[in-house]
Every structure is written in C-alpha cells, then in structure tokens.
C-alpha cells in the first residue's frame, strides 16, 4: 500500500495524454493478504494508472502508476472468498507523492471483485501494462524537466492547486444546473399565465351555467380553479414598500376574494384568507402583518370589503353588504328547527368554519335571540324564549 498516492476523485485523467480504459465497482483492496480500510470503491484503469475511488466516503481516492507494476496474476473465487487480481509492484520512488501508507512489508496488492468482472479487468490491465503508454508520453516531454520529478507524477492534483481546481469544477457544474433550472422555471411561469387565463374563463362559464351542473361538480371545478393561483402577484420588489405596496396588495386581495368570499357567505376568517391567498401566490408569500395592513387599506382603494374584529378577538374579512341582523335571523331560525346547536353542528348546517359558526352563535346571543348551556358536554346554544315572553 505504500506505492499508492492520494489523488483527485473529480478527475480520473490528470496526465497529458492519459485516458480512461475500464471501470469496475465493488472493489476491496488487500495489502498482501491483509484486509485494508479501503472496502467499497470503484476501480478505474487508465493508460497511466490504477485509481481506486471510495464509493462511501467523498473525496477519498488513491492511485498507483502502471510504471510500478511488475507482475499481474488472476485468482479465482473460492467458497468463502471473491475473485481477485493480484498486482506485484516495484519499490516506490524516493519522490513519491504522499499516500495512505508510509511503509508496507508487502510488495503486492490484491483487488477483490465482490461484484464480478475480474477477468475483464485483468485482461485490460495486462493490455495497458504491455502497451506502456506512459513511456511514449515521457519520450515527448521536454528535456528541461527536472530530473528529481517522477514521470508519472500527477500535476496540480494535491495541495491548494487541487482544492482550487476541484472548487472551480463544482462551481461550474452548479452554475449549469442553476441555468437549466431557471430555463425550466421561466417556461413553467409562461404556462402558468396561460392556465390562469383559462381558469378565469372557466369561472365565468360556471357563473353562466349556475343551476345547469350539480353542486358536487361546481365544488370540484372551484377546487381546480383555486389551485391555479395568481398570474402576476404584487411584490415589494415591483411596487416598493410601505403604503404603496399595501394599497396594491389590497387591490389584488380584493380581486382574489371577490368570488370566494361570496361563496363563503360573505365572511371569512383572516386565517382562512391567509392560507388561500398565499396558496394562490405560489412562491411569493405575504406575511400576516402585510395581510392585515392590506386589509386595512380596503376603504382607501374602494374595495367593498372590510376587516372586522369580534369581541373574542377573532379577525374576519367580510363584504360591506354583510348584515348582522340577517345572520341573527337565520341562526335563530336554525336554532328553532333543531331545538339546540353547538358550533360544530351549525358549521355543518351553514357550511362555514367552526370558528365563524361560534361567532354567529355569540352574536345571536348578544342580540337576545339565543341562550347558552355551558356544561361538561360542551357549549350548546338554545332559542331564548325568556325575553320573548309577554306575560
């Protein structure tokens, strides 16, 4: 193992004229007959070297030049052992690059092929050893090369130069990935605009065909439309910050809620609005604070909506035409029909959220049209007949 030197795993060929020949995975290295920690790697054969690259640990690769190979033998597999290729090596040169082992009592290494392929690797290795391509390259080198430097020494692989080269290669690879990703994203955004335009047309058709299709079909279509999103969401980058941004955001929010809030009975909790609005905006999310500021701008930009806070602290957005008296009347009517209701039961009947159903019951109670029974079974509301008695 003292013939091996550390090398770069990012580039198999580091010598001028060096090229890859063969590769086999699942290779373990033996120092003589002794197992090493180099257990699972990819064995690469080039015209100049044998390179072992760790598959489990990144940036852990070693190499031995073919110029040190003195003998190659093929060993068949046994009952409890894999087939191996044994490589006898000449002593290392004095100027050898640092490696995983300073000295070794063995002059031979064995490559264990746990996934097969030893015969083909053996044949390719013998072929390259006989070709002696590294000798042809050395004959072409300039006579001014320093005598102390080995002919098969990798140039610029180790040290700071190797690290800088590797970082540069990774940077170029990352840039390529980013450029491809943004090309795909641009194409997707163009398609998204087309889909939103189609969604608007479908929504208009739904309004025209109201009554001609079933309620379940309408719900299905609207769920599809909701997932289409907003084509060009308002952002701080395009509209600045502060009041100007919140005004534009209020306009966008009003347009977005125009149909949705009507279907929800004219009122939606701010948490529901926040979730639906951000879902439609895709990656351009708005903060809760910006949403509240935008809702407070409805009157300034003539949007027929308003932000309302109940006594319980629940924030809702409702249409200006929303009438509490009508809500009280319909809630009292449901109480008369069912004798009593919980918030969950009213939510199911009125098709609103449980939070809004609770607020409806509380408003009805404040108007004297309902009374409560708060017991271990929970909070239940009843029609208030006491204030309606005339005797």
């Amino acid at each position: 193992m003292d013939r091996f030197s550390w090398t770069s795993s990012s580039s198999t060929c580091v010598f001028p004229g060096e090229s890859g020949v063969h590769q086999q995975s699942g290779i373990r290295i033996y120092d003589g007959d002794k197992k090493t920690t180099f257990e699972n790697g990819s064995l690469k054969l080039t015209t100049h070297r044998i390179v072992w690259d760790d598959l489990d640990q990144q940036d852990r690769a070693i190499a031995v030049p073919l110029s040190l190979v003195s003998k190659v033998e093929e060993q068949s597999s046994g009952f409890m052992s894999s087939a191996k290729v044994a490589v006898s090596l000449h002593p290392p040169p004095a100027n050898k690059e640092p490696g995983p082992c300073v000295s070794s009592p063995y002059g031979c290494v064995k490559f264990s092929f746990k996934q097969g392929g030893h015969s083909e690797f053996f044949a390719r290795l013998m072929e390259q050893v006989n070709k002696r391509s590294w000798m042809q390259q050395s004959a072409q080198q300039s006579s001014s090369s320093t005598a102390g430097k080995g002919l098969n020494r990798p140039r610029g692989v180790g040290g700071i130069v190797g690290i800088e080269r590797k970082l540069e290669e990774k940077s170029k690879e990352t840039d390529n990935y980013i450029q491809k990703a943004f090309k795909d994203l641009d194409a997707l955004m163009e398609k998204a605009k087309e889909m939103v335009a189609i969604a608007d047309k479908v929504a208009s058709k739904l309004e025209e065909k109201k009554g001609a299709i079933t309620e379940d079909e309408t719900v299905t279509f609207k769920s599809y439309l909701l997932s289409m999103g907003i084509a060009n969401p308002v952002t701080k980058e395009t509209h600045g910050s502060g009041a100007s941004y919140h005004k534009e955001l209020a306009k966008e929010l009003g347009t977005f809620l125009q149909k949705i809030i009507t279907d929800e009975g004219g009122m939606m909790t701010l948490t529901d609005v926040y979730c639906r609005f951000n879902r439609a905006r895709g990656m351009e999310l708005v903060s809760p604070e910006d949403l509240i500021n935008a809702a407070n701008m409805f009157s300034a930009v003539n949007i027929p909506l308003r932000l309302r806070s109940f006594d319980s602290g629940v924030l809702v957005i409702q249409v200006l035409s929303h009438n509490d008296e009508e809500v009280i009347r319909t809630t009292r009517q449901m109480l008369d029909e069912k004798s009593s209701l919980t918030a969950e039961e009213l939510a199911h009947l009125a098709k609103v959220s449980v939070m809004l159903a609770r607020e409806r019951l509380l408003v009805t109670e404040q108007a004297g049209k309902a009374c409560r029974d708060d017991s271990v079974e929970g909070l239940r509301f009843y029609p208030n007949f006491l204030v309606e008695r005339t005797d």
Side-chain angles (χ1 to χ4, degrees), residues 231-288:
N232 296 301
V234 173
T235 63
K236 292 182 179 179
E237 287 76 13
T238 57
H239 294 83
S241 59
S244 60
Y245 166 68
H246 292 136
K247 284 183 179 180
E248 293 300 322
L249 190 63
K251 294 178 182 178
E252 181 182 278
L253 180 59
T255 304
F256 173 74
L257 291 176
Q258 185 176 3
K259 296 177 182 179
I260 298 175
I261 202 167
T262 302
D263 295 339
E264 295 293 331
M267 181 186 294
M268 291 177 64
T269 62
L270 195 63
T271 52
D272 287 343
V273 172
Y274 177 79
C275 293
R276 290 199 185 188
F277 190 49
N278 271 328
R279 178 183 176 186
R281 286 173 62 91
M283 297 176 63
E284 300 292 343
L285 305 180
V286 297
S287 66

Side-chain angles (χ1 to χ4, degrees), residues 36-52:
T36 67
T37 58
F38 299 90
E39 299 177 351
N40 182 32
S42 175
L43 193 62
K44 304 171 184 178
L45 176 65
T46 74
T47 54
H48 291 55
R49 300 176 301 155
I50 300 174
V51 181
W52 185 92

Side-chain angles (χ1 to χ4, degrees), residues 195-196 198-200 202-203 206 218-231 256-257 259-261 263-264 268 272-282:
M195 294 300 293
V196 171
I198 294 173
D200 292 338
V202 173
L206 280 177
T218 303
V219 172
T220 302
F221 274 123
K222 288 183 177 179
S223 66
Y224 292 154
L225 297 181
L226 183 61
S227 64
M228 293 295 184
I230 298 172
F256 173 74
L257 291 176
K259 296 177 182 179
I260 298 175
I261 202 167
D263 295 339
E264 295 293 331
M268 291 177 64
D272 287 343
V273 172
Y274 177 79
C275 293
R276 290 199 185 188
F277 190 49
N278 271 328
R279 178 183 176 186
R281 286 173 62 91

Side-chain angles (χ1 to χ4, degrees), residues 7-22:
T7 187
S8 171
S9 60
S10 60
S11 178
T12 303
C13 303
V14 296
F15 286 106
E18 184 180 13
S19 61
V21 176
H22 187 63

Side-chain angles (χ1 to χ4, degrees), residues 21 45-47 66 72 120-134:
V21 176
L45 176 65
T46 74
T47 54
L66 294 183
V72 182
E120 184 176 1
F121 190 89
F122 172 77
R124 295 292 186 92
L125 178 57
M126 289 297 299
E127 179 182 354
Q128 294 305 314
V129 170
N130 292 330
K131 279 186 177 181
R132 306 176 73 84
S133 299
W134 64 91

